[in-house]
Amino acid sequence: METRSQMAANGPAVSVRGLEKRFGAFVAVKGISFDVARGRIFGFLGPNGAGKSTTIRMLCGILEPSGGEGTVAGFDVRTQPERIKAHIGYMTQKFSLYEELTVNENIDFYSGIHRVAPAEKAARKKWVLNMAGLVEHQNAKVGTLPGGWKQRLALGCAVIHRPPILLLDEPTSGVDPISRRRFWELIYELADEGVTVFVTTHYMDEAEYCDELVLIYRGEIIASGPPARLKAEYMRETVLEISCERAQDAMELIEGAQGVRQAALFGKGLHVVAEDGEQAAEAIRRILASAGHGNVHIERIPPSLEDVFVSLIEEHDRDSGPAREMRT
């Protein structure tokens, strides 16, 4: 079997150039371009309404592009959507299984939909049950299962036909953190077996799990690259972590401090982006001391992906002016 690095060298699983989608006068996706290497985990990161779901629906052959071009598994998104559907697994953010049917019945149904060969059906069902941890619950109705189990079952049904490419649209929305982590362990297992994974998310911690990221905002790509490179290259300002009493009040006070570009609540404290970290730290200490805030601790820290993304969004907004209403 090829290693993931060998697969990456054999050409992209997904290739998009100038892809665009219009809904009347509104442009939801604005001429985006990117490649997804084979056998990699590719993250499409952005806030709700950024154009993530619109893009993935075009890649799946569900929506026809308004402009540009693209291929998925070597098939054209405009002229060969049915060929694409036969070579991908697709899981949406909305639970897509039949809750009134049992686990077994759902697996049998999707096995038929995806035309799994009769000789392979039993083995593939066994694999899904084991992967989802549902061997002892295979006769239970899906509607009675916890959300994490439903999610793993939906993933199993999406890949029951062993597609080379898996497209996941916000697959962990509304799922508890432990189930999200287990789900990502399954994604890693599939990628290690050679499956290309294209996943949309607005969770910054999930974005860290990806080999490659594209950051999309208001239908435009604003940055791309591996997570470590994004943090190293796209964050020129200093990030300060501030621990203090009454963080919400403190944030309002220091937002206008000299050299402070932005301030945001982060856990129980604040993250502040500043042009000059030392000068900003001194100004923040003076402001908070004069307002009676005690136990102030300020530390320079490496930027998180959230810091990078917020900074890029604010820069985009400054350059483009007031935003129009977004949609996915």
Side-chain angles (χ1 to χ4, degrees), residues 96-231:
S96 59
L97 303 183
Y98 294 92
E99 298 206 353
E100 70 276 12
L101 300 181
T102 67
V103 171
N104 270 332
E105 289 168 339
N106 269 281
I107 296 173
D108 290 339
F109 175 77
Y110 280 94
S111 180
I113 287 291
H114 291 300
R115 300 179 181 178
V116 176
E120 296 181 8
K121 284 187 176 182
R124 294 306 293 166
K125 175 186 277 191
K126 182 178 179 180
W127 178 85
V128 173
L129 290 170
N130 284 320
M131 181 274 293
L134 290 171
V135 173
E136 297 181 0
H137 304 277
Q138 56 189 287
N139 294 314
K141 287 192 175 182
V142 167
T144 67
L145 299 177
W149 290 3
K150 290 180 181 180
Q151 179 199 50
R152 295 198 298 271
L153 177 60
L155 177 64
C157 289
V159 298
I160 195 168
H161 55 310
R162 299 189 180 187
I165 301 172
L166 177 60
L167 295 109
L168 307 172
D169 189 12
E170 299 276 5
T172 59
S173 291
V175 178
D176 66 88
I178 294 175
S179 294
R180 284 173 56 201
R181 179 171 295 183
R182 174 59 182 147
F183 187 84
W184 272 92
E185 290 173 357
L186 296 174
I187 290 177
Y188 270 119
E189 291 172 12
L190 290 169
D192 285 338
E193 293 171 4
V195 177
T196 303
V197 181
F198 183 108
V199 56
T200 73
T201 183
H202 61 268
Y203 292 120
M204 298 295 165
D205 59 331
E206 289 189 351
E208 294 275 7
Y209 303 149
C210 299
D211 299 313
E212 191 86 9
L213 286 174
V214 159
L215 277 57
I216 184 170
Y217 180 58
R218 294 184 183 147
E220 298 180 72
I221 292 176
I222 59 175
S224 63
R229 197 178 82 200
L230 288 174
K231 288 184 283 188

Side-chain angles (χ1 to χ4, degrees), residues 242 244-255 263 270 284 287-288 293:
I242 302 176
C244 63
E245 300 169 353
R246 308 191 311 276
Q248 177 70 52
D249 295 338
M251 181 182 72
E252 295 175 359
L253 288 171
I254 65 180
E255 281 182 323
L270 299 170
I284 290 168
I287 291 170
L288 294 183
H293 285 262

Side-chain angles (χ1 to χ4, degrees), residues 19-22 27-32 51 54-55 58 216 219:
L19 196 66
E20 182 176 285
K21 184 61 184 178
R22 295 177 176 271
V27 185
V29 177
K30 304 176 182 179
I32 61 175
T54 300
T55 300
M58 287 190 283
I216 184 170

Side-chain angles (χ1 to χ4, degrees), residues 26 69 78 128 224 237 279:
F26 178 79
E69 58 187 17
R78 288 179 174 276
V128 173
S224 63
E237 300 95 340
Q279 290 183 4

